[in-house]
Coordinates of all heavy atoms in Angstrom, one line a residue:
L19 N 6.9 -17.9 -6.5 CA 6.3 -18.8 -5.6 C 7.0 -18.8 -4.2 O 6.4 -18.8 -3.2 CB 6.3 -20.3 -6.2 CG 5.4 -20.5 -7.4 CD1 5.7 -21.9 -8.0 CD2 4.0 -20.5 -7.0
F20 N 8.3 -18.8 -4.3 CA 9.1 -18.8 -3.0 C 8.8 -17.6 -2.2 O 8.5 -17.7 -1.0 CB 10.6 -18.9 -3.4 CG 11.5 -18.9 -2.1 CD1 11.7 -20.1 -1.4 CD2 12.1 -17.8 -1.7 CE1 12.5 -20.1 -0.3 CE2 12.9 -17.8 -0.6 CZ 13.1 -19.0 0.1
V21 N 8.9 -16.4 -2.8 CA 8.7 -15.2 -2.0 C 7.3 -15.1 -1.5 O 7.1 -14.4 -0.4 CB 9.2 -14.0 -2.8 CG1 8.1 -13.5 -3.7 CG2 9.6 -12.9 -1.8
K22 N 6.4 -15.7 -2.1 CA 5.0 -15.6 -1.7 C 4.7 -16.6 -0.6 O 3.6 -16.7 0.0 CB 4.0 -15.8 -2.8 CG 4.0 -14.6 -3.8 CD 3.0 -14.9 -5.0 CE 1.6 -14.6 -4.5 NZ 0.7 -14.5 -5.6
G23 N 5.7 -17.5 -0.3 CA 5.6 -18.5 0.8 C 4.9 -19.7 0.3 O 4.4 -20.5 1.1
L24 N 4.8 -20.0 -1.0 CA 4.2 -21.1 -1.6 C 5.2 -22.2 -1.9 O 6.4 -22.0 -1.9 CB 3.4 -20.7 -2.8 CG 2.3 -19.7 -2.6 CD1 1.8 -19.2 -4.0 CD2 1.2 -20.2 -1.8
D25 N 4.6 -23.4 -2.2 CA 5.4 -24.6 -2.5 C 6.0 -24.5 -3.9 O 5.2 -24.3 -4.9 CB 4.5 -25.8 -2.3 CG 5.3 -27.1 -2.5 OD1 6.4 -27.1 -3.1 OD2 4.8 -28.2 -2.2
N35 N -5.7 -20.9 -3.6 CA -6.5 -20.7 -2.5 C -5.8 -21.0 -1.2 O -6.4 -20.9 -0.1 CB -7.8 -21.5 -2.5 CG -8.7 -21.0 -3.7 OD1 -8.8 -19.8 -3.9 ND2 -9.3 -21.9 -4.3
Q36 N -4.5 -21.3 -1.3 CA -3.7 -21.6 -0.1 C -3.4 -20.4 0.8 O -3.0 -19.4 0.2 CB -2.4 -22.3 -0.5 CG -1.7 -22.8 0.7 CD -0.4 -23.6 0.3 OE1 -0.4 -24.1 -0.8 NE2 0.5 -23.8 1.2
K37 N -3.6 -20.5 2.1 CA -3.3 -19.4 3.0 C -1.9 -19.5 3.5 O -1.4 -20.6 3.8 CB -4.3 -19.4 4.2 CG -5.7 -19.2 3.8 CD -6.0 -17.8 3.4 CE -7.5 -17.6 3.2 NZ -7.8 -16.5 2.4
V38 N -1.1 -18.5 3.5 CA 0.2 -18.5 3.9 C 0.4 -17.6 5.1 O -0.2 -16.5 5.2 CB 1.2 -18.0 2.8 CG1 2.6 -17.9 3.3 CG2 1.1 -18.8 1.6
K39 N 1.1 -18.0 6.2 CA 1.3 -17.2 7.3 C 2.1 -16.0 7.0 O 3.2 -16.2 6.3 CB 2.0 -18.0 8.4 CG 1.2 -19.1 9.0 CD 2.0 -19.8 10.1 CE 1.2 -21.0 10.7 NZ 2.0 -21.7 11.7
P40 N 1.7 -14.8 7.4 CA 2.5 -13.6 7.0 C 3.9 -13.7 7.5 O 4.8 -13.2 6.8 CB 1.7 -12.5 7.8 CG 0.3 -13.0 7.9 CD 0.5 -14.5 8.1
T41 N 4.2 -14.3 8.7 CA 5.6 -14.4 9.1 C 6.4 -15.3 8.2 O 7.6 -15.0 8.1 CB 5.6 -14.9 10.6 OG1 4.9 -16.2 10.6 CG2 5.0 -14.0 11.6
F42 N 5.8 -16.3 7.6 CA 6.5 -17.2 6.7 C 6.9 -16.4 5.5 O 8.1 -16.5 5.0 CB 5.6 -18.4 6.4 CG 6.4 -19.5 5.6 CD1 7.5 -20.0 6.1 CD2 5.8 -20.0 4.4 CE1 8.2 -21.0 5.4 CE2 6.5 -21.0 3.7 CZ 7.6 -21.5 4.2
K43 N 6.0 -15.6 4.9 CA 6.3 -14.8 3.8 C 7.3 -13.8 4.1 O 8.3 -13.6 3.3 CB 5.0 -14.1 3.3 CG 5.2 -13.3 2.0 CD 3.9 -12.7 1.5 CE 4.2 -11.8 0.3 NZ 3.0 -11.2 -0.2
M44 N 7.2 -13.1 5.2 CA 8.2 -12.1 5.6 C 9.6 -12.7 5.7 O 10.6 -12.1 5.3 CB 7.8 -11.5 7.0 CG 8.7 -10.4 7.5 SD 8.3 -8.8 7.0 CE 6.6 -8.5 7.4
T45 N 9.7 -13.9 6.3 CA 11.0 -14.6 6.4 C 11.6 -14.8 5.0 O 12.8 -14.6 4.8 CB 10.8 -16.0 7.1 OG1 10.3 -15.8 8.4 CG2 12.2 -16.7 7.2
R46 N 10.8 -15.2 4.1 CA 11.3 -15.4 2.7 C 11.7 -14.1 2.0 O 12.7 -14.0 1.3 CB 10.3 -16.2 1.9 CG 10.2 -17.7 2.3 CD 9.4 -18.5 1.4 NE 9.4 -19.9 1.7 CZ 8.9 -20.9 1.0 NH1 8.3 -20.6 -0.2 NH2 9.0 -22.1 1.3
Q47 N 10.9 -13.1 2.3 CA 11.2 -11.8 1.7 C 12.6 -11.3 2.3 O 13.4 -10.8 1.5 CB 10.1 -10.7 2.1 CG 8.8 -10.9 1.4 CD 7.7 -10.0 1.9 OE1 7.6 -9.8 3.1 NE2 6.9 -9.5 1.0
E112 N 5.9 -6.2 -0.7 CA 4.6 -6.1 -0.1 C 4.5 -6.3 1.4 O 4.9 -7.4 1.8 CB 3.7 -7.0 -0.9 CG 2.2 -6.9 -0.5 CD 1.3 -8.0 -1.2 OE1 1.8 -9.1 -1.5 OE2 0.2 -7.7 -1.4
G113 N 4.2 -5.3 2.1 CA 4.0 -5.5 3.6 C 5.4 -5.6 4.3 O 5.4 -5.9 5.5
N114 N 6.5 -5.4 3.7 CA 7.8 -5.6 4.3 C 8.6 -4.2 4.3 O 9.2 -3.9 3.3 CB 8.6 -6.7 3.6 CG 9.9 -7.0 4.3 OD1 10.6 -6.2 4.8 ND2 10.2 -8.3 4.3

Side-chain angles (χ1 to χ4, degrees):
L19 288 171
F20 179 82
V21 82
K22 290 178 82 164
L24 298 172
D25 185 344
N35 293 322
Q36 185 175 339
K37 299 285 184 201
V38 177
K39 292 181 182 177
T41 54
F42 189 53
K43 181 178 178 181
M44 181 89 55
T45 299
R46 288 189 172 188
Q47 288 172 321
E112 183 183 29
N114 188 319

